[in-house]
Amino acid sequence: MAGLAEGTVLVEGAVRSGAMNTAHWTTNLHRPVLALPGPVTSVASAGVHQLIRLGEASMVTNAPEILNDLIGRPAATAARSAQVDESYAPSPARHTPAPLGAAAPSTRWAPGR
């Protein structure tokens, strides 16, 4: 999930939870982790509070704050996309069928081919 988005917003997450795992993957991908704090008495909010306390997540309380945190990163996003190496991408394969009655090309391996 962390790799599919520009950032991750945690609404709830215990200290040992899938939400915390996603937050750590988001950090490893150098994307922002945003946290919406819940009740201090809730075990389900303990992980979110821990991320905020340790400075690993920015606290947000509404949608405009989330958008501001994500929109404020276009330079980082542009720099990251400039580093993408697309040399591995194959060229499009185009197959032209042989005319009817023509011999099919050999598919056997031969030295020097």
Side-chain angles (χ1 to χ4, degrees):
M1 294 304 294
L4 297 174
E6 283 296 315
T8 299
V9 179
L10 297 177
V11 178
E12 267 191 355
V15 175
R16 293 179 49 92
S17 65
M20 293 295 287
N21 186 23
T22 302
H24 290 297
W25 275 107
T26 303
T27 301
N28 290 342
L29 293 169
H30 306 287
R31 296 180 183 174
V33 178
L34 311 172
L36 181 70
V40 295
T41 56
S42 171
V43 174
S45 296
V48 175
H49 295 160
Q50 180 183 27
L51 289 176
I52 294 170
R53 187 174 60 251
L54 295 174
E56 296 177 11
S58 299
M59 184 175 69
V60 293
T61 57
N62 56 40
E65 289 177 357
I66 294 169
L67 293 175
N68 284 337
D69 279 7
L70 293 178
I71 291 173
R73 298 177 34 86
T77 303
R80 188 172 60 243
S81 65
Q83 296 173 359
V84 174
D85 178 17
E86 295 183 5
S87 62
Y88 67 88
S91 59
R94 301 214 184 253
H95 175 69
T96 306
L100 289 176
S106 173
T107 58
R108 292 181 179 238
W109 179 81
R113 265 191 155 184

